[in-house]
Amino acid sequence: MVDVGLFISYILIGVCILTAVGMPLMKAMGDPDSLKKMGMGVGALVVVFLVAFFTANGENSGDASETTAKLVGAGLTTFYILAIAAIGGIVYTEIKKAAE
């Protein structure tokens, strides 16, 4: 019984992922400017991850391979960069609103 529930949940997660990615793409197909903005956003995220990946230290610790260690380091660095950018954006917006 657990296997069937797990299988159904995998299917539902797949449907949710396809819907979450597919619906904005379908809507953006009618508006080329929206599609261009979406592409620029995804491209910026890829660039941030690539910079984090190439600067990550691939030192092996424990059972992880060098590639796994490098991917984990890149993921953490990407998170830190995006978190700092989000916090900076919030602070900038609040200061700008207060100055008006």
Side-chain angles (χ1 to χ4, degrees), residues 9 48 54 92:
S9 68
V48 168
F54 288 121
Y92 171 76

Side-chain angles (χ1 to χ4, degrees), residues 53 63 74 99:
F53 181 76
D63 294 336

Side-chain angles (χ1 to χ4, degrees), residues 15-84:
V15 168
C16 290
I17 290 171
L18 287 175
T19 303
V21 171
M23 294 301 286
L25 283 176
M26 286 175 44
K27 184 175 180 185
M29 291 298 173
D31 186 16
D33 289 337
S34 175
L35 191 60
K36 186 170 79 172
K37 288 180 185 176
M38 186 187 314
M40 287 173 45
V42 170
L45 289 174
V46 169
V47 167
V48 168
F49 181 77
L50 288 175
V51 167
F53 181 76
F54 288 121
T55 59
N57 190 359
E59 286 185 18
N60 189 358
S61 60
D63 294 336
S65 68
E66 185 176 331
T67 305
T68 302
K70 195 162 186 169
L71 282 172
V72 169
L76 287 171
T77 305
T78 302
F79 170 75
Y80 296 146
I81 291 170
L82 294 177
I84 290 169

